[in-house]
Amino acid sequence: MSMTTNSSPDFRPATPRPAYLDTLNAAQRQAVETLDGPVLVLAGAGTGKTRVLITRLAHLLVTGRAKPWNILAVTFTNKAAREMRERIAAIIGPAAEQIWLGTFHAICVRILRRHAELVGLKSNFTILDADDQVRLLKQLLQAEGIDDKRWPARVLMGTIQRWKDRALSPDRVPAEDAMDLAGGRIVQLYRQYQERLLTLNAADFGDLMLHCVELFQKHPEVLAEYHDRFKYMLVDEYQDTNVAQYLWLRLLAQKNKNICCVGDDDQSIYGWRGAEVGNILKFEKDFPGAAVIRLEQNYRSTPHILAAAGGLIAKNEGRLGKTLWTETNEGEKVRVRGVWDGEEEARTVGEEVEALQRAGNSLSEMAVLVRAGFQTREFEERFVTLGVPYRVVGGPRFYERLEIRDAIAYLRIIAQPDDDLAFERIVNTPRRGLGDATLQAAHQLARAQGTSLMAACRQLVGTDELKPKPRKSLSDLIRDFDRWRAELAHMPHPDLAQLVLDESGYTAMWQADKSPEAPGRLENLKELIRAMEEFESLAGFLEHISLVMENAEDSSLDQLSIMTLHSAKGLEFDTVFLPGWEEGLFPHQRALDESGAQGLEEERRLAYVGLTRARKRADILYAANRRVHGLWQNSLPSRFVSELPADHVEQVTEGGLFGGTARQSEWGAASRGGLYASSPPRDGGGYFEAGRRFPRREQPTLEGVPYSVATNKPNADGFQRGTRVFHQKFGMGTVRAVEADKLEIDFDKAGTKKVLAAFVEKK
């Protein structure tokens, strides 16, 4: 990659110098005052890019380089556009309203309304939402005799929208892209879909960019009009642009070339939704002679956090390169901690949160950032237990998610057949041909007889009130619920839940869904099954859910934030907890399988984003064991852990790897030498407390040798019959026998168990 220096073309500073320039550092001022020609501002995390964008825009107007209507400023979100307009108005006043400032799609709508007839539309065209798009495509599938169950409309629509993100009209789709989707007729369906949209005088979200690109390509006189209008262009978050947005910007900038793109190649984390990091990497090639200005002074994080993040991201090859620095105090090193499993991970974070609270820290300045949505469940439950107010940012709480509510509705009906609300929710989910007419008949009978919907349906299926097909579907569903309820007497309730999800077709429904959300929904369902294993019965689990759901979010409270790493971009907190840094989870195996080396680099950028959200403290955690898809799996620490520069990392070992007293060097040797190569912990029956089951687990081994022996752990010297001890998992207990490095302990609540001396503490 070319490493263009920070030299810039001549510029004409305002006279007298505007006061707003005095608030900028040298690199920021250069980015503001370099007004002519193409400019790429590589703005590292926390380096003040928004201030640069706004000040640059104001500077164009104050210096007389442009009138408000000669400036095009593009953002990715409406929130960013509103904030930018408000801050510009504070500098230049009402003239800010005349700037063409908005999201890519908002600006494209404005252009298309003026030139709609040139793309086959009328100026009052409708913009279809996602549901309308799928409904329209379903009509086309039905007309073509294509099985919607084999080729779901939502899946095919996802393919069409990805083509639109790449600016591919039906005539431009490469033959190899079409594959055998919809029996080889996907491109034909795409063409029919586009024709139908024009007939309806409608466009979907993807069309807004696609039509605009084609408008400029096919009508040079229209493009020339906008060349004359837009003398200067500013683009925010350039690393997140897709192909269509990239082409649109290049077309608009090809005459004046006064385009300033602000972005950070190290924070390009949306490849899964079409973003092309290559757009920012090839900026200098697209615009020869471009000035590349690096904003590297960070105003957010401590030197240790910046150095740790910088050392990690330096492993990526696809980047332009920059080094963040700060004038703040050194601060704390990034903490890295190994724990036994996800439950201990949540407990550890909970303890740290409480300690920070006692020290006077605000919950609103703390965040737990996870790689996958299913990880939030254990943290949510732990915070509920501790009474720590929290909010889930960027999505619903775990038990409020659509797929979890659906699954719980099935279980509620098994536990309580008269639960009408649950029955209504899933009677036709997945689709069984039980529409409004069926439910209306059931409601009428239930009201007339004062019975539940389930009881009414039992009567309906024995009559001719319903048509044969819905009657059979309803009869089969009732028979399934009766069979599942009978199974509950002799089948563990987590196994039954899995059986219900599979036999009902609910799991298959999400497996067939190719939307970006579907894999996460399937992971959440697996996490739900895992959560049930901690409870003695289905009734106990459902009661727990009710109590959790009662903890409604109160926006007036001081709350800790839980969110995915993707949702955290653009945010910052004093303290950030980063759990789940394990191979397969982070980097995520799906990203590696689907995108190879590019997927790994994007995962590393995601880790960089997570670390740079922290102002003062960053804690990384990884578990030796994790329940994945219902099975215990030994986990290897993420490769990202070993890529962190040692000088800026503190390996936290107090309390031991799993509550013992392992030294850092021993833990490092164990993690490298194959601690996780042994069999995963198996449930040995466990014990119950307050309705929750705590599994009995085998201790980890190294090639069949107990961990304490393999790593030269001390034996049980010092322990004797009657010694009071504490174990992280089982609590307080009394030693009843000593054998080598093993102790037989009568735990106060967990019963008698054999454990290694390394994992208990004298009390």
Side-chain angles (χ1 to χ4, degrees), residues 434-648:
L434 301 174
D436 293 341
T438 303
L439 269 180
Q440 185 176 3
H443 272 295
Q444 289 176 347
L445 183 59
R447 284 195 297 269
Q449 298 189 351
T451 62
S452 67
L453 285 176
M454 176 70 84
C457 288
R458 287 184 186 278
Q459 298 182 58
L460 280 175
V461 297
T463 70
D464 294 324
E465 293 288 341
L466 304 177
K467 294 180 180 179
K469 186 175 180 179
R471 184 167 69 242
K472 182 180 184 307
S473 294
L474 192 56
S475 178
D476 290 346
L477 181 62
I478 293 172
R479 187 163 54 250
D480 284 342
F481 271 113
D482 289 344
R483 177 169 50 82
W484 295 331
R485 195 171 296 111
E487 293 280 4
L488 184 60
H490 54 82
M491 179 182 286
H493 55 285
D495 295 346
L496 176 62
Q498 186 65 67
L499 182 73
V500 170
L501 292 176
D502 291 344
E503 292 189 349
S504 67
Y506 193 77
T507 300
M509 179 185 79
W510 288 116
Q511 287 172 337
D513 190 315
K514 301 304 179 185
S515 67
E517 296 82 14
R521 295 189 190 278
L522 288 167
E523 287 180 338
N524 290 339
L525 291 172
K526 294 296 183 182
E527 179 65 15
L528 176 69
I529 303 299
R530 196 186 83 73
M532 296 180 67
E533 296 173 358
E534 299 177 6
F535 294 84
E536 185 175 7
S537 65
L538 177 61
F541 174 68
L542 292 175
E543 179 178 312
H544 170 75
I545 298 303
S546 299
L547 294 175
V548 171
M549 298 287 275
E550 276 299 308
N551 276 271
E553 184 175 315
D554 185 348
S555 59
S556 65
L557 293 175
D558 180 30
Q559 297 174 312
L560 177 145
S561 297
I562 306 176
M563 69 190 82
T564 65
L565 287 159
H566 284 100
S567 298
K569 188 167 177 289
L571 303 178
E572 57 185 75
F573 305 89
D574 284 347
T575 300
V576 167
F577 297 97
L578 300 161
W581 280 44
E582 300 134 31
E583 286 294 305
L585 178 54
F586 193 37
H588 203 287
Q589 192 61 46
R590 187 167 64 247
L592 302 182
D593 292 343
E594 294 177 358
S595 304
Q598 290 184 347
L600 174 61
E601 293 215 343
E602 180 155 321
E603 290 288 292
R604 192 177 281 113
R605 291 194 291 268
L606 198 55
Y608 172 84
V609 166
L611 280 169
T612 54
R613 300 311 92 195
R615 298 190 193 103
K616 301 177 181 178
R617 172 175 170 171
D619 284 22
I620 294 171
L621 301 97
Y622 53 90
N625 308 279
R626 197 172 289 277
R627 196 78 155 178
V628 179
H629 297 166
L631 300 173
W632 277 107
Q633 291 186 6
N634 296 141
S635 302
L636 287 172
S638 168
R639 68 192 74 186
F640 300 154
V641 172
S642 63
E643 291 174 355
L644 295 168
D647 290 346
H648 304 285

Side-chain angles (χ1 to χ4, degrees), residues 725-747:
V725 295
F726 174 77
H727 189 282
Q728 285 280 357
K729 180 68 68 175
F730 304 122
M732 293 297 298
T734 303
V735 176
R736 61 179 294 177
V738 180
E739 179 184 353
D741 63 340
K742 299 184 182 67
L743 305 174
E744 185 175 335
I745 300 173
D746 284 334
F747 287 102

Side-chain angles (χ1 to χ4, degrees), residues 400-420:
E400 293 173 351
R401 292 168 182 166
L402 177 144
E403 66 277 9
I404 301 302
R405 282 182 174 271
D406 286 348
I408 290 173
Y410 274 101
L411 300 177
R412 282 167 53 187
I413 297 169
I414 292 172
Q416 172 52 268
D418 295 334
D419 190 331
D420 285 358

Side-chain angles (χ1 to χ4, degrees), residues 708 713-720 723 735 737-744 755-758 760 762:
S708 58
K713 280 288 187 180
N715 60 24
D717 290 347
F719 290 96
Q720 56 187 353
T723 302
V735 176
V738 180
E739 179 184 353
D741 63 340
K742 299 184 182 67
L743 305 174
E744 185 175 335
V755 301
L756 290 171
V760 298
K762 292 181 182 179

Side-chain angles (χ1 to χ4, degrees), residues 77-346:
T77 66
N78 289 314
K79 178 182 177 182
R82 286 194 301 271
E83 179 186 356
M84 191 176 294
R85 192 179 296 278
E86 289 170 0
R87 290 175 64 173
I88 293 169
I91 299 175
I92 67 172
E97 293 299 321
Q98 300 180 62
I99 298 171
W100 280 57
L101 191 162
T103 64
F104 280 95
H105 294 91
I107 291 173
C108 282
V109 168
R110 187 171 175 182
I111 292 173
L112 288 175
R113 295 285 185 201
R114 299 180 61 194
H115 309 281
E117 70 285 352
L118 296 179
V119 297
L121 295 169
K122 298 175 183 176
S123 60
N124 62 343
F125 63 84
T126 300
I127 302 173
L128 300 187
D129 61 22
D131 288 341
D132 289 335
Q133 296 167 26
V134 172
R135 190 176 302 113
L136 177 55
L137 190 56
K138 279 185 178 179
Q139 295 173 5
L140 298 176
L141 289 172
Q142 185 176 7
E144 290 293 316
I146 297 174
D147 185 0
D148 182 38
K149 292 183 178 179
R150 183 179 180 188
W151 303 108
R154 193 171 297 278
V155 174
L156 298 179
M157 181 54 64
T159 299
I160 290 173
Q161 292 302 331
R162 285 192 291 275
W163 284 335
K164 292 185 177 185
D165 287 343
R166 293 163 56 194
L168 296 175
S169 61
D171 296 331
R172 294 179 177 176
V173 175
E176 60 271 18
D177 278 19
M179 300 179 289
D180 61 348
L181 289 174
R185 289 186 280 176
I186 180 64
V187 176
Q188 175 187 341
L189 283 170
Y190 181 15
R191 183 175 290 106
Q192 292 177 354
Y193 173 75
Q194 292 300 96
E195 292 171 351
R196 183 64 177 151
L197 284 174
L198 294 179
T199 301
L200 296 173
N201 190 33
D204 65 24
F205 208 57
D207 282 327
L208 301 178
M209 291 302 308
L210 179 64
H211 283 326
C212 241
V213 169
E214 292 185 336
L215 173 68
F216 291 160
Q217 289 174 334
K218 295 178 180 179
H219 300 277
E221 73 283 0
V222 176
L223 180 59
E225 175 186 338
Y226 289 97
H227 283 164
D228 292 339
R229 172 179 291 274
F230 301 137
K231 307 295 185 184
Y232 291 90
M233 296 169 56
L234 290 85
V235 185
D236 191 14
E237 303 286 10
Y238 188 61
Q239 78 280 349
D240 293 334
T241 53
N242 60 32
V243 173
Q245 292 161 342
Y246 165 79
L247 292 174
W248 183 77
L249 289 169
R250 283 200 63 187
L251 286 165
L252 282 171
Q254 64 184 200
K255 180 182 178 182
N256 297 311
K257 294 185 173 55
N258 291 328
I259 180 171
C260 175
C261 293
V262 180
D264 184 0
D265 50 328
D266 292 333
Q267 296 189 71
S268 180
I269 59 174
Y270 298 117
W272 50 275
R273 70 181 189 194
E276 292 281 350
V277 67
N279 293 347
I280 192 170
L281 297 179
K282 63 183 180 181
F283 185 87
E284 292 175 271
K285 181 180 178 181
D286 291 335
F287 299 98
V292 178
I293 301 170
R294 289 171 171 79
L295 303 185
E296 297 175 310
Q297 183 175 0
N298 179 278
Y299 294 93
R300 175 188 300 160
S301 306
T302 64
H304 279 309
I305 291 173
L306 293 181
L312 176 63
I313 200 63
K315 303 295 182 182
N316 273 8
E317 295 181 2
R319 62 190 298 259
L320 295 171
K322 59 185 170 304
T323 302
L324 299 187
W325 60 277
T326 180
E327 294 179 343
T328 62
N329 294 329
E330 189 175 63
E332 302 177 16
K333 291 185 177 182
V334 173
R335 290 179 173 85
V336 177
R337 185 194 305 260
V339 296
W340 174 258
D341 60 8
E343 184 179 334
E344 183 179 341
E345 185 178 58

